[in-house]
Amino acid sequence: MRIIGTGSQLPKKLVTNDQLAHFIDTSDEWIRERTGIEQRHVMTNETLEDLAIAAAKNAMDDAGVLSTQLDYIICSNMVNEYVVPSMASIVGGHIGSQCPAYDLNAACTGFLYALDMADVLLKAGRAEYILIISAEEPSRIVDWNDRSTCVLFGDGAAAVVVTKGNSLRSIKVSSKSDKSVLYYRRPLEPTPFIIRDKNTGPLCMNGKEVFKSAVSSSLRDMQYVLDKAEITKDDVTYYVLHQANLRIIDFIRSHFEAKQEQIPINVNKYGNTSSASIPLLLDELNRDGKLRKGDILVLSAFGAGFTSAACVIEWNKSAN
Ligand code: COA
């Protein structure tokens, strides 16, 4: 597998920490200190499909691939206004593609799960070009009165186009089921046959438990993929990490003794955009001309589930 194009799109509305402090009991100082977040983009009049379509088009332009050339569209998404049809199939309709299209939900780890699926499809000879989109609107599932969750998240969409190649040097995806530390239970329609308490509500999170799990799974997964690719931390150009919290990122940086410039960051600008965070960061690096052929990238993410994943990519956007 090889990434040949990247794209992204954010909602227009930008909300700073100070603006949040107008309606919840928080402060810029608390949020910056505990998370590194300074602002986030949130949905207003746009829909998530608007963002997903724009991100997809940007990635396809960057790759020079037409919608008719796509063999699959995979969209990682936790939640959006439509349960059916899938976000992938909605995007496919807009861009004029008729290839198979499906969503997958691995929470914030979704982009790496989608890369893994794409790699399998390419290796099986089932595809030449695959569009992967990560589109997320966590602002729609948090309780905006709960200061311990709503300050952490932001909305956005990002996409990549992948084709056959040898860039993916190693990958590990995993999950360890735990419904109690991070979950969102949405309401379903009532029926005449169901008699039980309605136990739905906004996103629930035990921040400290998530923090511990995130650090331990990231360190474990990243060491595994380095070993599997038969390289060491000295070979790594960039660590492209899930942008949930600067303190988690710092933990990983000090464990791998990485230099600050090896750890690109955008959690300060966008908050935690769930599975969109890694492709958003990749798109920024790509468009800023920071990625060179042969660069070694270690990607790592974690999320509700509890899911986690990491991979090593040798950047090789143009075949030659
Ligand atoms: N503003 C001000 N105070 C806040 C606050 C906010 N936005 N959110 C929580 N607090 C308060 C708490 O009420 C608590 O007050 P108390 O001591 O009077 O009870 C205090 O700050 C400490 O809260 P605590 O939960 O212990 O803070 P923490 O150091 O664990 O930081 C998180 C909280 C959420 C920032 C941190 O646990 C975290 O980042 N976890 C990982 C979350 C994550 O990444 N989730 C996404 C996974 S994909």
Side-chain angles (χ1 to χ4, degrees):
M1 192 199 70
R2 189 160 68 82
I3 295 174
I4 56 169
T6 68
S8 61
Q9 184 72 40
L10 292 157
K12 291 181 296 293
K13 174 111 183 128
L14 195 158
V15 181
T16 64
N17 293 343
D18 281 332
Q19 286 170 321
L20 289 183
H22 285 149
F23 60 92
I24 47 170
D25 181 15
T26 190
S27 65
D28 178 51
E29 191 192 1
W30 193 97
I31 302 172
R32 272 179 206 249
E33 245 172 42
R34 305 282 175 127
T35 70
I37 299 166
E38 295 163 23
Q39 58 177 49
R40 72 285 294 138
H41 290 250
V42 296
M43 306 294 280
T44 50
N45 292 331
E46 320 79 342
T47 62
L48 196 60
E49 68 187 79
D50 297 334
L51 303 187
I53 292 161
K57 285 183 175 167
N58 290 341
M60 285 162 56
D61 284 349
D62 188 39
V65 168
L66 301 171
S67 57
T68 48
Q69 292 176 280
L70 295 175
D71 299 301
Y72 280 90
I73 302 173
I74 307 173
C75 180
S76 83
N77 169 254
M78 284 189 298
V79 71
N80 72 87
E81 286 170 31
Y82 284 86
V83 173
V84 282
S86 69
M87 181 59 74
S89 108
I90 292 173
V91 173
H94 276 277
I95 62 176
S97 142
Q98 293 186 345
C99 69
Y102 64 91
D103 289 359
L104 68 78
N105 177 2
C108 299
T109 318
F111 178 69
L112 294 187
Y113 268 64
L115 276 186
D116 187 49
M117 286 310 307
D119 183 49
V120 169
L121 290 165
L122 291 164
K123 279 192 181 131
R126 298 282 296 273
E128 195 73 39
Y129 295 107
I130 300 177
L131 171 65
I132 297 174
I133 309 154
S134 296
E136 303 282 11
E137 49 183 343
S139 75
R140 303 295 307 276
I141 62 171
V142 293
D143 176 354
W144 281 90
N145 294 308
D146 173 9
R147 63 181 183 174
S148 65
T149 54
C150 73
V151 304
L152 303 177
F153 295 95
D155 304 326
V160 299
V161 177
V162 298
T163 190
K164 289 178 182 164
N166 297 321
S167 280
L168 187 65
R169 300 269 300 267
S170 61
I171 187 161
K172 174 184 170 70
V173 292
S174 58
S175 88
K176 184 174 145 226
S177 179
D178 186 338
K179 295 196 297 187
S180 67
V181 294
L182 182 52
Y183 61 91
Y184 167 64
R185 292 185 66 180
R186 71 176 150 219
L188 298 177
E189 300 303 319
T191 87
F193 313 108
I194 289 188
I195 310 152
R196 67 177 180 222
D197 288 343
K198 270 179 99 180
N199 210 355
T200 60
L203 189 80
C204 260
M205 183 181 73
N206 178 334
K208 283 193 195 308
E209 285 307 311
V210 173
F211 198 106
K212 280 192 267 173
S213 253
V215 170
S216 66
S217 64
S218 302
L219 299 184
R220 178 201 65 205
D221 293 349
M222 290 165 75
Q223 191 56 55
Y224 178 93
V225 294
L226 285 174
D227 294 345
K228 200 79 184 157
E230 299 180 345
I231 57 173
T232 71
K233 58 185 168 59
D234 299 333
D235 300 304
V236 177
T237 319
Y238 291 116
Y239 294 90
V240 183
L241 308 176
H242 175 42
Q243 302 287 298
N245 182 315
L246 200 54
R247 287 193 295 148
I248 297 177
I249 295 170
D250 268 341
F251 224 97
I252 297 171
R253 183 178 57 76
S254 71
H255 177 87
F256 286 101
E257 296 171 322
K259 298 192 196 87
Q260 207 72 256
E261 56 270 26
Q262 286 178 279
I263 312 254
I265 300 288
N266 62 18
V267 67
N268 55 327
K269 294 187 289 180
Y270 308 139
N272 178 350
T273 56
S274 186
S275 72
S277 90
I278 287 182
L280 258 170
L281 195 52
L282 266 183
D283 187 43
E284 284 190 339
L285 290 169
N286 179 30
R287 281 173 200 272
D288 292 348
K290 298 228 171 98
L291 299 174
R292 301 263 172 272
K293 183 175 163 59
D295 280 353
I296 298 290
L297 314 183
V298 175
L299 279 50
S300 167
F302 52 84
F306 194 86
T307 57
S308 74
C311 69
V312 173
I313 287 179
E314 183 175 334
W315 189 254
N316 194 5
K317 186 165 164 276
S318 322
N320 303 306

